[in-house]
Amino acid sequence: MTTTLITAVTNQKGGVGKTATTIGLAGALAEAGKNVLIVDLDPQGHLTDGLKVPKAPSGTGAANLYRALVGEFTGSLADLIATHSEPAGRIDVVPNAYEMFMAVRDVDKVKAREQRLAKMLAPARGVYDQVLIDSPPSLDILTDNALTAADGVLIPVQAEDSSLTALQLLLPQIASVDADLRTKPLELHGLVVNLLRRPVNTLAKSVLDELGKLEGLPILATVPLSVVITEAWRYGKTPVDYAPDSEHAGAYRTLAKVLTEAAR
Ligand SMILES: Nc1ncnc2c1ncn2[C@@H]1O[C@H](COP(=O)(O)OP(=O)(O)OP(=O)(O)O)[C@@H](O)[C@H]1O
Ligand SMILES: [Mg+2]
């Protein structure tokens, strides 16, 4: 049976590259022949847009992530999935629905509220090699669900002071989810430094230095700021497909190897 690794791509700080990392990594994993499922847990729906996957239907009885999280949709996981195809293979996606914006309010009111996503993703175990959860920019019930459903976490950051501050909030939150909601602690895979401007200025260098000193949180890859990411997004492709020889594609392949290793 396939060993499935579920990874939450998380940082409550907005715009650091959670969605870009999820898409890039999914492309690299698919290229390596892995069976990949990605979950667009952010009500903004950027991942769904970035891969040009159709939104799920909304409304009473609709098969969508929101209805599944609040327990109104009890059908199979397969019914929630749309597919994104590219030359390297297929990526399954649990896409956004417009009504996902109600999830933060409504998931808070249901029983076992932090375990909803874990329960929903249970059938993915043994089927997919890798499941990636694109988290919203908040420390709310949706992020708690991501951190409860996952085996490990990948943290995109920028080489800016605000990312150091963000970690001071995120790491204790992960520790509290470990203590209160999990039987086994989340594996901290590490950091992905995204949107790095070249040449690297003195300030960025000093932040990189600080990030590099964080124990148990290695910098796994560095992804430069470049139009490659926004262009791939515009065309609904992953960077590995859009620009296979780019440094970006290389960084995502490195991350894919880390997660493949962690799945063993
Ligand atoms: N390496 C990069 N080079 C250029 N643009 C990038 C890069 N990474 C991400 N972007 C762009 O920067 C913006 C923010 O990235 P992204 O949406 O991945 O961040 P996020 O953390 O998911 O944001 P949010 O917190 O809103 O969910 C997007 O418009 C994305 O296309
Ligand atoms: Mg995002």
Side-chain angles (χ1 to χ4, degrees):
M1 196 159 149
T2 310
T3 309
T4 303
L5 190 78
I6 304 183
T7 304
V9 184
T10 303
N11 191 337
Q12 79 284 352
K13 181 166 160 43
V16 290
K18 295 177 286 295
T19 304
T21 303
T22 308
I23 291 175
L25 187 47
L29 286 164
E31 183 188 59
K34 302 297 176 192
N35 234 333
V36 188
L37 173 67
I38 46 188
V39 181
D40 189 353
L41 191 63
D42 182 359
Q44 297 181 102
H46 288 160
L47 181 132
T48 301
D49 294 344
L51 285 175
K52 303 283 177 280
V53 171
K55 280 184 187 285
S58 284
T60 312
N64 69 40
L65 179 57
Y66 162 71
R67 300 270 162 189
L69 291 173
V70 296
E72 283 177 26
F73 172 80
T74 52
S76 74
L77 176 62
D79 290 339
L80 298 174
I81 287 170
T83 56
H84 167 84
S85 296
E86 51 183 37
R90 191 183 93 176
I91 299 168
D92 282 355
V93 183
V94 176
N96 173 260
Y98 285 116
E99 60 189 9
M100 256 306 274
F101 78 90
M102 299 192 289
V104 176
R105 188 189 64 197
D106 294 345
V107 177
D108 235 359
K109 295 180 196 146
V110 295
K111 234 185 204 158
R113 58 192 186 148
E114 290 98 351
Q115 274 94 15
R116 309 302 304 184
L117 184 63
K119 191 175 170 203
M120 196 196 107
L121 289 178
R125 293 219 182 255
V127 174
Y128 291 95
D129 297 302
Q130 299 275 349
V131 179
L132 307 174
I133 306 166
D134 183 20
S135 314
S138 48
L139 288 177
D140 59 15
I141 187 65
L142 291 178
T143 298
D144 279 354
N145 265 271
L147 297 176
T148 305
D151 302 305
V153 62
L154 203 58
I155 307 175
V157 291
Q158 287 176 258
E160 294 176 1
D161 284 328
S162 56
S163 278
L164 290 168
T165 313
L167 287 174
Q168 287 172 13
L169 201 58
L170 178 58
L171 297 175
Q173 177 67 11
I174 291 173
S176 87
V177 169
D178 277 345
D180 298 336
L181 296 164
R182 301 179 55 87
T183 45
K184 200 173 154 210
L186 271 160
E187 188 165 342
L188 297 179
H189 296 302
L191 305 171
V192 183
V193 177
N194 188 35
L195 289 148
L196 188 68
R197 271 176 215 279
R198 296 258 174 75
V200 181
N201 63 36
T202 315
L203 178 72
K205 269 188 198 139
S206 83
V207 176
L208 286 172
D209 213 39
E210 289 287 310
L211 291 170
K213 285 184 201 148
L214 295 172
E215 215 160 296
L217 209 54
I219 296 176
L220 303 173
T222 297
V223 181
L225 176 96
S226 147
V227 75
V228 163
I229 300 292
T230 36
E231 279 179 2
W233 194 303
R234 159 69 69 89
Y235 298 117
K237 294 182 173 188
T238 72
V240 164
D241 176 23
Y242 181 72
D245 299 326
S246 62
E247 186 180 344
H248 305 75
Y252 295 127
R253 289 187 190 109
T254 301
L255 290 177
K257 280 193 195 125
V258 171
L259 289 194
T260 302
E261 203 50 50
R264 292 227 169 91

